[in-house]
Amino acid sequence: MATWIVLGLVVLVLLIGIVLFNRLVSLRNRVDNGWSQIDVQLRRRYDLIPNLIETVKGYAAHEREVFEDIAVARTRGMAADSVADQARAENQVTRGLRQLLAVAEAYPELKANQNFLALQEELTGTESKIAYARQFYNDQVMRLNTAIQSFPSNLVASAFHFAPREFFDIEDPARGPVQVDLQ
């Protein structure tokens, strides 16, 4: 009788371990999926930037420093290999785009240009998609990190080397006014 109880407990612990392992794998895959969605939207944003720069350049060619800053930030973003590096690059891209759009405000004929308006609308849509993807990713990171740190799943997580993930924390364009220095 005691043998059956011990065997039952071993099977129960094994089943709980399998369930916890599968949950951690599922959470990790959701985090990876969330990151790939962010990556897709960032690549789309990067593809829009050269077209936007060329359109603005036609009207404000003397704003070379703004164009160069965005190009450098875009290159850093495309080369980023960690969440923290990507966040830093995205903050630079966002600041550069703010400056570029502030420059465009000074040129009424540019603001009326159909190509510029279409690019600006597409960029706005992409920014919204990035914000949504970032929220989804960060929610999944929070769930995974909580599972990794919570008992009893922390035992399974440490046994199978599940590591916490970083949040993708970038500046929110709506957090404050645009600061532009055109000198």
Side-chain angles (χ1 to χ4, degrees):
M1 180 77 164
T3 306
W4 288 110
I5 292 174
V6 170
L7 185 59
L9 288 175
V10 168
V11 169
L12 181 64
V13 167
L14 190 59
L15 287 175
I16 290 171
I18 290 170
V19 168
L20 292 174
F21 176 81
N22 287 340
R23 180 171 175 257
L24 289 167
V25 169
S26 175
L27 290 170
R28 182 181 60 197
N29 289 341
R30 289 177 65 92
V31 168
D32 291 343
N33 178 49
W35 184 253
S36 70
Q37 295 305 314
I38 289 173
D39 191 53
V40 164
Q41 296 308 322
L42 293 177
R43 301 293 166 211
R44 180 177 173 177
R45 182 187 195 197
Y46 297 150
D47 290 345
L48 289 172
I49 289 172
N51 295 334
L52 192 60
I53 288 173
E54 286 303 314
T55 302
V56 174
K57 239 186 221 183
Y59 291 88
H62 60 282
E63 301 290 349
R64 188 169 25 119
E65 187 177 326
V66 173
F67 305 138
E68 289 172 359
D69 289 347
I70 293 173
V72 167
R74 177 181 178 264
T75 302
R76 283 188 185 137
M78 293 172 66
D81 59 354
S82 73
V83 174
D85 289 344
Q86 191 74 56
R88 278 190 291 279
E90 290 313 307
N91 288 333
Q92 288 179 320
V93 169
T94 299
R95 282 191 292 277
L97 287 172
R98 284 182 191 165
Q99 287 181 326
L100 184 67
L101 295 176
V103 166
E105 289 293 317
Y107 298 91
E109 63 277 359
L110 172 60
K111 291 188 335 185
N113 178 295
Q114 291 301 316
N115 189 30
F116 177 76
L117 292 173
L119 287 168
Q120 190 176 24
E121 185 175 323
E122 195 168 341
L123 182 62
T124 300
T126 300
E127 294 293 339
S128 295
K129 290 175 184 174
I130 290 170
Y132 176 79
R134 180 173 56 114
Q135 180 179 351
F136 176 80
Y137 171 80
N138 285 339
D139 287 346
Q140 299 313 311
V141 167
M142 181 198 60
R143 287 185 179 120
L144 176 64
N145 290 350
T146 300
I148 288 172
Q149 297 167 0
S150 299
F151 182 81
S153 58
N154 64 340
L155 301 174
V156 175
S158 64
F160 291 98
H161 308 291
F162 284 87
R165 298 286 183 94
E166 280 186 75
F167 289 97
F168 186 51
D169 191 24
I170 59 175
E171 292 176 4
D172 186 351
R175 283 189 186 168
V178 176
Q179 299 293 325
V180 180
D181 180 14
L182 298 177
Q183 296 177 352

